[in-house]
Amino acid sequence: MKYFKILISLLLVCLLFSGCGFKFASSIDDLISPLSPFGDNADIKNALDEYAKGGYSLKTPNAGKYITSYSFFDLDGDKTDEAVSFYEPNDDLGTINMAVIKKEGKEWSVIENIKGEGTDIHSIEFSDLTHNGKNELIVCWDVISNSTSHELTVYAFNPDNKKKLKKIGTSVSVNNYLAVDLLGDNENQLLMFEFDNGNSSARAELYSYDGGDRQLLGETKLDSHITGYETIQTERLDGNIRVYADALGSDGASMLTELIYWSDNYGTIISPFYSYDTGLTSDTTRTVLLNCLDIDSNGRIDIPTDYEMSKLPKKVKAVDWRIYKNYALIHTAYSLYAENECYTLLIPDEIIDNVKVNYNDKSGELSVINKKTDKTVFTVMSVLKASYTEDKYPGFVYVTEGGGYGFLAKQGNDDELKISFDDIESYIKPI
């Protein structure tokens, strides 16, 4: 228990000094993932113990939805989950194995085990890529731990075969990927994002695994001046799927968004923001380090771009949010973003050019001021939800919350621009 308390204290310290770069859950349960199953699932560990008699160390995926020691998913379509586990055998250090563990009756046992293609596991996902009603395993192996390049391998699972896991095609070096229905046929394909270290090239490739064979359906070049694709989101519009991939620039001080979708006219995937003439994606490149977001909650993904606003505090940027429509970027909203905060603050179009901003990076208070009267319209700030008490913040009202944070607001003394607490609540967008 002593060590558990020390761990939680260290996590709190990391949060306090790291701004929004460290995403903190709102409860201890969200923070701690079990190292091994317990209760009814304790026999899963026993099954692996029995299989790996020489001993082993469990490995957990570093990214993705499945980040615990045992990932549960129905691989064979029998309505019962199997368990997938990664481990390093004590008698074969430096390697990593993947085991599939199944329950027959009351007993769990390892029904398949393969040696991995790296020394660490980055992520695992499940999707029916072959369209046979059974889910394939999409595994990203790491040859070098915490590398930006991963070896993606797709495995088909057939419980009736002696060798139950079959590799489909060769492995592909990727930075990120997405199982997505880009063709609009209600069947998933695999969209892979790849780039070579040294900024020599970057591209997206769309593969089909229909029938158990990998086939390249389309590809497009992308801006190579990046360190990696941080988030990938999808949007369905008029029956078509669009993919928005946010990437951190290689300078560490910029971001860009690649928009990718299938074009029947060209018979391939395209990225309309990328220029084959310059090799750059310029329209969505920005200095504000924000990912795409449905900023106005209308079901459309908005792309953040830089907006010129005079005399902003050093750590605050103005954002012009835009949607892609009719082959152009169309303005939807403006907001303010302080780089150490976990929210962006919408500012109505009709007042964006009539206000200025003060920001206290120690207290986190951001004030919107009427340029004409030089009076404060309103002030907002974020606090840890778990540590909030009303007496600590006199004059502030707790208006909303998100991502483990509470957001407080205080009305100013400006008589010309009146903003209600309900309005302020709608302006605050947690990120």
Side-chain angles (χ1 to χ4, degrees):
M1 179 60 71
K2 177 179 72 173
Y3 297 109
F4 179 83
K5 292 179 179 178
I6 292 173
L7 171 62
I8 298 305
S9 299
L10 288 173
L11 288 169
L12 286 169
V13 170
C14 290
L15 172 64
L16 292 172
F17 287 97
S18 62
C20 205
F22 184 89
K23 295 296 185 184
F24 193 77
S26 57
S27 71
I28 297 302
D29 291 338
D30 294 331
L31 277 170
I32 305 300
S33 296
L35 293 178
S36 60
F38 54 91
D40 292 340
N41 291 326
D43 287 341
I44 299 175
K45 179 180 181 302
N46 294 336
L48 190 56
D49 290 345
E50 177 65 23
Y51 182 85
K53 296 181 181 296
Y56 61 91
S57 298
L58 286 171
K59 294 281 190 175
T60 56
N62 297 315
K65 178 182 177 181
Y66 300 91
I67 55 173
T68 54
S69 300
Y70 296 85
S71 301
F72 294 91
F73 207 87
D74 181 10
L75 295 175
D76 53 14
D78 66 353
K79 310 300 183 182
T80 301
D81 286 348
E82 285 73 44
V84 179
S85 180
F86 299 92
Y87 66 96
E88 180 183 28
N90 289 351
D91 53 7
D92 194 10
L93 296 177
T95 67
I96 185 169
N97 285 17
M98 177 172 68
V100 178
I101 310 170
K102 185 175 180 61
K103 189 175 187 179
E104 298 286 359
K106 295 183 179 181
E107 298 294 327
W108 287 90
S109 62
V110 175
I111 61 171
E112 182 64 293
N113 185 86
I114 63 168
K115 187 172 181 178
E117 301 193 16
T119 59
D120 206 350
I121 174 64
H122 178 72
S123 65
I124 183 172
E125 184 58 80
F126 307 92
S127 179
D128 183 9
L129 297 176
T130 58
H131 314 141
N132 63 352
K134 297 177 182 178
N135 288 284
E136 280 68 53
L137 292 79
I138 308 168
V139 182
C140 278
W141 307 99
D142 277 350
V143 178
I144 301 174
S145 297
N146 301 315
S147 171
T148 59
S149 182
H150 321 292
E151 294 299 309
L152 183 147
T153 308
V154 175
Y155 299 92
F157 181 77
N158 190 334
D160 299 324
N161 289 353
K162 182 176 181 180
K163 185 175 178 60
K164 294 176 174 55
L165 284 175
K166 177 186 177 183
K167 181 177 176 180
I168 304 178
T170 58
S171 298
V172 180
S173 292
V174 304
N175 173 253
N176 215 327
Y177 72 93
L178 181 69
V180 61
D181 174 24
L182 274 188
L183 300 185
D185 58 3
N186 296 317
E187 295 179 338
N188 278 348
Q189 301 85 45
L190 204 55
L191 180 65
M192 303 185 190
F193 293 85
E194 308 162 44
F195 70 89
D196 297 329
N197 293 329
N199 295 328
S200 59
S201 67
R203 62 196 178 279
E205 296 178 342
L206 183 68
Y207 286 95
S208 167
Y209 287 80
D210 197 12
D213 294 318
R214 189 180 73 193
Q215 300 176 356
L216 179 66
L217 300 177
E219 59 185 326
T220 181
K221 289 186 176 181
L222 304 173
D223 194 320
S224 62
H225 301 85
I226 61 169
T227 61
Y229 299 95
E230 294 203 333
T231 63
I232 302 176
Q233 303 178 67
T234 62
E235 170 187 79
R236 181 178 290 275
L237 185 66
D238 299 327
N240 298 316
I241 296 292
R242 293 173 175 173
V243 176
Y244 295 77
D246 292 314
L248 181 66
S250 54
D251 59 4
S254 64
M255 291 193 72
L256 62 85
T257 299
E258 298 285 10
L259 170 62
I260 297 170
Y261 57 88
W262 179 264
S263 169
D264 286 332
N265 289 335
Y266 294 101
T268 187
I269 54 174
I270 63 172
S271 178
F273 298 140
Y274 174 79
S275 169
Y276 276 78
D277 292 332
T278 65
L280 301 174
T281 296
S282 55
D283 290 349
T284 62
T285 297
R286 58 212 181 246
T287 61
V288 60
L289 302 184
L290 281 175
N291 294 322
C292 291
L293 182 69
D294 180 6
I295 194 69
D296 46 9
S297 303
N298 67 349
R300 294 292 306 277
I301 291 180
D302 300 272
I303 301 172
T305 61
D306 293 329
Y307 180 68
E308 293 296 328
M309 192 171 173
S310 62
K311 298 182 179 179
L312 281 176
K314 185 177 180 181
K315 295 185 177 181
V316 177
K317 292 185 181 295
V319 187
D320 182 1
W321 295 87
R322 304 181 182 188
I323 61 169
Y324 180 70
K325 184 178 181 180
N326 297 328
Y327 307 102
L329 288 172
I330 309 299
H331 165 78
T332 56
Y334 295 111
S335 76
L336 298 169
Y337 172 62
E339 63 185 34
N340 291 331
E341 304 298 331
C342 286
Y343 68 95
T344 188
L345 181 70
L346 287 177
I347 302 295
D349 285 18
E350 58 268 23
I351 70 170
I352 185 67
D353 293 324
N354 300 321
V355 298
K356 59 183 180 179
V357 181
N358 280 347
Y359 176 64
N360 185 325
D361 61 351
K362 293 183 179 179
S363 67
E365 295 182 33
L366 189 152
S367 298
V368 176
I369 299 168
N370 187 338
K371 285 183 180 179
K372 182 179 177 180
T373 63
D374 204 34
K375 292 183 178 180
T376 298
V377 182
F378 65 92
T379 300
V380 296
M381 67 182 300
S382 63
V383 299
L384 281 174
K385 179 183 173 182
S387 64
Y388 170 77
T389 57
E390 186 176 352
D391 60 291
K392 289 183 180 179
Y393 306 97
F396 281 90
V397 173
Y398 193 104
V399 294
T400 188
E401 59 189 44
Y405 288 86
F407 299 100
L408 316 182
K410 179 168 60 176
Q411 292 177 316
N413 58 353
D414 184 66
D415 293 326
E416 184 175 284
L417 298 177
K418 288 292 187 180
I419 306 294
S420 70
F421 284 117
D422 287 341
D423 287 336
I424 296 173
E425 178 183 358
S426 69
Y427 296 164
I428 296 172
K429 300 296 180 179
I431 56 176

